[in-house]
Amino acid sequence: EIMGVVNINSDSFNPASRAASLKEAICKIEKMIEQGAAIIDIGGVSSRPGSRYCGRDEEFARIKDVLSEIYRLRLHEKAKFSLDSFDEYCLEFALNHGFKMINDITANASLATLAARYDAEFCMMHMQGDPATMQIAPKYNDLIGEIADFFEQKIALAKELGAKKLVLDVGIGFGKTAEQNLLLIKHLEHFLNFDCPLLVGASRKSVINHYYKSEVKERLPGSLYLHLKAFENGAQIIRTHDVAEHKQLFDMHEAMSQATLW
């Protein structure tokens, strides 16, 4: 499934994903649904390296009108909506307005209670450190093993609290070196044994810049490559800023896998 990203803030790392007004946000969302996004991930807060949380009041002020408008226009009946947030108040508002997914970069298992109450999907992401410091000097003794242990603990807690629909995100770019990001995509199948859908979001991230010097706006080919590899290695949800291009990629991939001589 393709998850399109719409940011309701002025500081997310990809300027093209930002929506400055209610009208612009709704236009972006409608366009992404049209282009083939199965899920739309709305974010009011940037979690790019070096960022600091703006606080609940500011986050809620940013997202409130857009969420209300999505509900009023019944867009939640055309695609699944996810809120990229770790704030319970904002998330509950979203779940009351037709949203069906919590996308939590902090993997706060106690939010599983909220997910359970609304029968929503709960996506837990792995991050080493926090956004302000995560990219300073990421270090793992056993990259795959440590992240697998992290998920094992989080899944047990979340299930205990009643959440049934769990999604896992290895957290590309969240406390990882460029090579570690590649290794996670390359060995993604290690995380399939948790029996939860895997989400990968490498869209336009600096891992691409590490291997090919490029501005954010120039990283579409690298994003497509990483996402195709992630999909081949077991990712079920691909989180991207570029819905149409990814739809074209996956439609061609599907056609190629179906093509037969006999």
Side-chain angles (χ1 to χ4, degrees):
E1 291 184 313
I2 295 173
M3 173 189 257
V5 183
V6 178
N7 290 308
I8 322 292
N9 58 39
S10 56
D11 57 348
S12 52
F13 84 99
N14 178 14
S17 73
R18 301 175 200 157
S21 66
L22 176 61
K23 190 175 174 214
E24 191 187 351
I26 297 297
C27 281
K28 269 183 192 283
I29 291 163
E30 288 179 328
K31 191 174 179 193
M32 283 182 172
I33 294 172
E34 221 170 90
Q35 291 172 336
I39 311 170
I40 304 287
D41 194 36
I42 305 285
V45 175
S46 175
S47 53
R48 71 187 192 290
S51 62
R52 301 217 173 256
Y53 181 47
C54 61
R56 164 185 291 181
D57 295 348
E58 174 61 24
E59 180 182 358
F60 187 66
R62 290 176 188 179
I63 63 168
K64 179 172 62 91
D65 293 349
V66 174
L67 269 54
S68 301
E69 190 66 358
I70 287 165
Y71 192 60
R72 190 183 74 79
L73 295 170
R74 299 169 80 148
L75 296 178
H76 61 289
E77 293 172 7
K78 297 183 180 175
K80 185 190 296 174
F81 278 82
S82 156
L83 186 66
D84 184 353
S85 174
F86 45 79
D87 180 75
E88 195 168 347
Y89 183 79
C90 293
L91 286 163
E92 183 149 19
F93 184 82
L95 295 170
N96 278 322
H97 287 78
F99 278 55
K100 290 276 180 273
M101 189 175 196
I102 291 171
N103 184 14
D104 174 22
I105 61 162
T106 66
N108 174 4
S110 67
L111 289 172
T113 311
L114 190 62
R117 199 176 338 136
Y118 287 88
D119 192 30
E121 285 181 78
F122 181 30
C123 181
M124 297 185 286
M125 188 192 80
H126 175 272
M127 166 168 49
Q128 189 179 84
D130 60 58
T133 59
M134 63 190 178
Q135 287 306 96
I136 292 170
K139 192 178 177 313
Y140 298 83
N141 295 319
D142 171 11
L143 178 71
I144 305 292
E146 285 175 44
I147 295 176
D149 288 347
F150 171 87
F151 283 141
E152 201 169 318
Q153 290 165 11
K154 294 292 183 180
I155 290 167
L157 272 169
K159 283 187 170 166
E160 218 172 284
L161 293 172
K164 293 189 170 53
K165 303 171 180 172
L166 302 176
V167 177
L168 307 178
D169 177 354
V170 293
I172 299 298
F174 284 84
K176 282 100 182 169
T177 64
E179 189 183 25
Q180 286 163 352
N181 287 318
L182 298 191
L183 288 168
L184 285 170
I185 289 172
K186 197 172 191 172
H187 299 288
L188 200 62
E189 72 279 356
H190 281 283
F191 303 104
L192 287 171
N193 60 4
F194 289 115
D195 229 10
C196 298
L198 301 180
L199 181 154
V200 168
S203 192
R204 298 182 178 264
K205 288 184 175 173
S206 62
V207 53
I208 299 162
N209 179 59
H210 182 85
Y211 295 101
Y212 183 94
K213 286 291 165 235
S214 48
E215 297 295 322
V216 173
K217 64 176 186 289
E218 299 160 344
R219 296 179 197 158
L220 177 62
S223 304
L224 289 164
Y225 175 78
L226 292 175
H227 284 153
L228 179 59
K229 288 292 165 200
F231 177 73
E232 288 174 344
N233 294 337
Q236 281 184 33
I237 301 170
I238 297 294
R239 183 179 184 274
T240 175
H241 301 98
D242 307 285
V243 171
E245 292 86 347
H246 279 73
K247 183 78 170 95
Q248 187 177 103
L249 169 78
F250 290 120
D251 283 357
M252 292 312 301
H253 184 71
E254 175 66 12
M256 185 67 89
S257 62
Q258 299 293 330
T260 168
L261 278 170
W262 326 108

